[in-house]
Amino acid sequence: MFEAKFQSFADSAAPERGAAHLARLRAELDRRGLDGFVVPRADAHQNEYVPPCDERLAWLTGFTGSAGIALVLRDEAALVVDGRYTIQAAAQTDPAAYTVVQLAQQSPEAWLAAHLPAGARLGYDPWLITVDTLDRLRKAVAGADAVLVAVDGNPIDAVWADRPAAPVAPVTLRDPALAGETTESKLARIRDRLAAEKLDAVVLSDPHGVAWTFNIRGGDVSFTPLPLAWAIVPREGRPTLFVDGRKLSNAVRDALAATAEIAEPVMLERALDLIAAGNALIRLDQATAPALLAARIEAAGGRVSRGASPVALMQAAKNEAELAGMRAAHLRDGAALVRFLAWFDAEAPKGELTEIDCVAALETFRRDTGLLKDVSFPSIAGAGPNGALPHYRVSEASNRRLNPGELFVIDSGAQYEDGTTDVTRTLPVGMPDDEMRDRYTRVLKGHIAVARAVFPQGTSGAQLDPFARQFLWAAGLDFDHGTGHGVGAYLSVHEGPARISKLGTVPLEAGMVLSDEPGFYKEGSFGIRLENLVVVQPEPTPPGGERPLYSFETITFAPFDRRVIDPVLLTDEEIAWLDDYHARVRELIGPLVDGPAADWLIEATAPLRG
């Protein structure tokens, strides 16, 4: 009945392939006179999701996680991953070929400093390493008395016989009614920023920024409607958009040519030579720009300004048209989610559901809207102990049946042309125990505290993060991920630069869309996460107030499961917020569902105390 799109967690053949591929790479390194090579999980844009042709780390090691780096030497190799992927990395790699290293215990640079022989020549691909990462590598290699070598042509590409071709998905124009601002207006704002910072130009190396600036979308990577492209925006004169011409129809090319020069990506380096000449100061986004671009600018006589792209903050603060689209997408998505929740309540007690069944069902309900473009990330569906892994990815190998007395975490999202969604609910299978209800309620209290927050202009996500944790902290508990991330408007579900996190230093601004998703995870037993998306909005300053205020508008609409809530732990104000939220869900989603889903929704959104 249902079909799912998910990423495989494990592949039994991966370790064998990884060992053979490692031998091929070492032979190629030997041919080039290199003693080692750095293999990040990255493309030239540092995208979260990369096209198959750039999955070099997966090809080499068998590891398919979204973050990691392999360090290959003549006689040993390490795969460095963060805590999300320790178990997955061990399952997918050959322990005789790779040592899996936890990032929290040893950084890639520290591993190199400890293992790189003196005089060794360590290669790296300057298209895949950012300027900041290169600085760290240089320091580590110099400390080992070794040599760092930029390669001309990635050695993995030379031995990857069946490497997929680069993607050439068609570029589409964003509907002006959804974009809410013309490309000309956006370019004018970018130029104003360049002038204010005394910059001569900016290189847009992040395709999300390119897509936003030129009001285009594409399909070059999974889960995010990106066209892989570059752009140079000078303070004076026309910008240049570097995009594979095979992606452009005549109509799209003509529309883009009205505001920019169009060139093939292979012309990017030559264009930098021309614009950098004469001591030009050029901004490179330190988070996404390849080290090669910095070297090219400096070789041509220019200067590199490291910093954030001026597009990032502009893109993060959505305009009214983008927010209207996001709200519409969330109503549509909320109806699909309510249909799923009603289905789940009917099916889970039968004892036959698996994690994959649930992923497939939810994606099918979204597909039934007729407007789904893609899921916005691989759905996280964790039953029982799998729910205690915050970034768990279900596969045929790990798929688990939902058992009575367990909690089930479902974290998923959708891409619609008018907006991007991301929502998490934690559901009981049968009756939850007292510990589950206590932890769930503490997480819910943190979620409500963030949702109800009123804060002065200039407040950062780091200052709001404790709001979500305070009730867990009071019980000696916590969670190890951020409370919230930015979300794009039919772009990345994980969008910077703002976030609600201990590390979130960027002040929140009106129009930003963020997640509110505190959690709790008991290893080997259960997990809890509750997530809505919220929009930063102006809040009236009370009489006598001296500073402009902000608050959050919640735009996700789906019930929280009342069976896992302990009302005794909630204040009257928290219960009022929850009842008001459920009444709003019933008001907005009720007309969009019918039959059993409509009946279920009425019961699920009843007042907490009757």
Side-chain angles (χ1 to χ4, degrees):
M1 176 181 180
F2 299 123
E3 295 180 355
K5 177 180 181 180
F6 59 90
Q7 288 185 325
S8 176
F9 174 80
D11 180 344
S12 60
E16 289 77 12
R17 285 206 313 266
H21 292 176
L22 179 60
R24 286 194 218 171
L25 173 61
R26 282 181 168 143
E28 177 65 15
L29 296 179
D30 187 62
R31 188 185 70 81
R32 297 188 184 200
L34 295 172
D35 301 293
F37 192 63
V38 177
V39 186
R41 197 276 183 178
D43 64 5
H45 306 276
Q46 302 297 313
N47 282 310
E48 178 179 8
Y49 303 113
V50 304
C53 64
D54 287 316
E55 289 281 12
R56 296 179 181 89
L57 185 64
W59 178 87
L60 178 66
T61 67
F63 170 66
T64 59
S66 65
I69 185 169
L71 307 168
V72 176
L73 302 180
R74 286 186 178 274
D75 300 316
E76 58 182 328
L79 174 63
V80 184
V81 296
D82 62 42
R84 296 174 295 170
Y85 293 120
T86 306
I87 296 174
Q88 179 178 346
Q92 291 185 314
T93 57
D94 181 354
Y98 294 95
T99 300
V100 175
V101 177
Q102 291 192 40
L103 180 63
Q105 297 177 0
Q106 191 173 39
S107 69
E109 296 79 21
W111 189 91
L112 285 172
H115 293 262
L116 194 61
R121 289 168 52 82
L122 180 70
Y124 73 97
D125 186 339
W127 280 107
L128 305 182
I129 299 293
T130 65
V131 175
D132 287 353
T133 301
L134 182 58
D135 286 345
R136 296 193 298 271
L137 280 176
R138 280 175 172 155
K139 183 177 181 180
V141 171
D145 198 22
V147 180
L148 192 60
V149 180
V151 301
D152 183 9
N154 195 298
I156 289 180
D157 299 351
V159 296
W160 186 353
D162 56 350
R163 183 182 174 222
V168 287
V171 171
T172 59
L173 300 175
R174 188 91 166 116
D175 184 340
L178 297 175
E181 184 179 7
T182 65
T183 296
E184 293 87 345
S185 173
K186 292 177 179 181
L187 289 170
R189 286 206 281 149
I190 294 170
R191 291 189 186 102
D192 287 345
R193 190 70 255 160
L194 296 179
E197 296 190 39
K198 295 181 172 55
L199 298 168
D200 295 298
V202 60
V203 178
L204 302 185
S205 51
D206 182 353
H208 302 84
V210 175
W212 178 86
T213 300
F214 293 95
N215 286 331
I216 54 177
R217 297 295 187 268
D220 286 336
V221 302
S222 297
F223 313 117
T224 306
L226 279 184
L228 296 181
W230 311 80
I232 298 176
V233 181
R235 189 171 64 194
E236 298 178 0
R238 281 164 62 86
T240 303
L241 174 63
F242 301 88
V243 59
D244 190 325
R246 293 173 295 175
K247 302 176 186 179
L248 305 180
S249 68
N250 289 338
V252 169
R253 180 182 289 275
D254 289 345
L256 293 173
T259 54
E261 303 297 329
I262 311 298
E264 293 293 321
V266 294
M267 298 302 297
L268 175 63
E269 293 177 68
R270 177 57 180 157
L272 281 177
D273 291 344
L274 296 174
I275 200 168
N279 203 37
L281 182 61
I282 300 174
R283 169 62 53 84
L284 290 183
D285 180 0
Q286 60 189 25
T288 63
L292 183 142
L293 301 187
R296 192 84 186 206
I297 290 169
E298 291 169 349
R303 294 170 294 147
V304 173
S305 167
R306 298 191 197 183
S309 167
V311 169
L313 274 175
M314 298 178 193
Q315 176 183 325
K318 278 63 178 176
N319 60 45
E320 285 305 316
E322 290 172 315
L323 291 176
M326 292 288 279
R327 294 184 185 105
H330 277 79
L331 292 179
R332 183 185 313 117
D333 201 59
L337 186 57
V338 164
R339 292 187 183 99
F340 165 78
L341 293 173
W343 170 86
F344 181 91
D345 254 15
E347 295 297 322
K350 299 177 183 178
E352 299 297 323
L353 285 185
T354 67
E355 294 166 337
I356 288 180
D357 291 335
C358 295
V359 171
L362 180 50
E363 292 182 13
T364 298
F365 285 121
R366 285 183 165 125
R367 197 177 301 115
D368 287 345
T369 66
L371 295 173
L372 180 70
K373 294 295 186 180
D374 198 353
V375 293
S376 56
F377 58 96
S379 298
I380 297 170
N386 287 345
L389 304 171
H391 297 274
Y392 169 70
R393 294 287 188 265
V394 63
S395 73
E396 294 289 352
S398 68
N399 190 28
R400 191 176 188 279
R401 190 178 301 277
L402 281 60
N403 297 313
E406 293 183 339
L407 294 180
F408 174 64
V409 178
I410 180 73
D411 182 350
S412 65
Q415 294 284 10
Y416 304 102
E417 194 170 356
D418 49 1
T420 301
T421 73
D422 183 4
V423 54
T424 309
R425 289 296 182 266
T426 301
L427 312 173
V429 182
M431 290 302 297
D433 62 29
D434 288 345
E435 181 186 28
M436 294 173 178
R437 297 177 75 234
D438 177 272
R439 304 312 191 239
Y440 183 103
T441 308
R442 290 178 186 277
V443 172
L444 178 61
K445 286 168 71 72
H447 176 96
I448 293 172
V450 172
R452 296 179 62 218
V454 176
F455 49 95
Q457 190 177 61
T459 300
S460 70
Q463 293 170 288
L464 295 179
D465 188 71
F467 285 38
R469 302 177 188 272
Q470 57 185 309
F471 307 104
L472 290 168
W473 285 349
L477 307 169
D478 203 356
F479 55 96
D480 292 330
H481 56 75
T483 296
H485 55 82
V487 178
Y490 192 43
L491 275 175
S492 176
V493 74
H494 300 129
E495 180 179 86
R499 52 182 169 165
I500 303 174
S501 160
K502 296 174 183 178
L503 303 177
T505 59
V506 174
L508 305 188
E509 296 183 7
M512 288 180 171
V513 178
L514 301 134
S515 65
D516 171 7
E517 51 177 312
F520 172 77
Y521 309 93
K522 183 178 181 180
E523 184 176 357
S525 184
F526 64 86
I528 297 163
R529 188 161 61 256
L530 303 174
E531 177 185 21
N532 285 343
L533 298 193
V534 296
V535 179
V536 181
Q537 62 181 0
E539 176 76 13
T541 302
E546 298 178 350
R547 299 187 180 186
L549 298 176
Y550 288 139
S551 62
F552 290 122
E553 170 199 357
T554 297
I555 61 173
T556 302
F557 296 101
F560 295 100
D561 201 298
R562 295 157 66 248
R563 294 167 293 187
V564 206
I565 299 173
D566 183 353
V568 174
L569 295 178
L570 296 179
T571 65
D572 290 342
E573 291 80 6
E574 290 166 340
I575 290 175
W577 183 94
L578 185 64
D579 286 347
D580 287 348
Y581 174 75
H582 279 160
R584 186 77 170 146
V585 172
R586 188 167 58 251
E587 173 191 357
L588 294 174
I589 305 300
L592 305 179
V593 296
D594 54 19
D599 296 337
W600 177 90
L601 180 62
I602 291 173
E603 182 177 351
T605 57
L608 188 61
R609 288 178 176 167

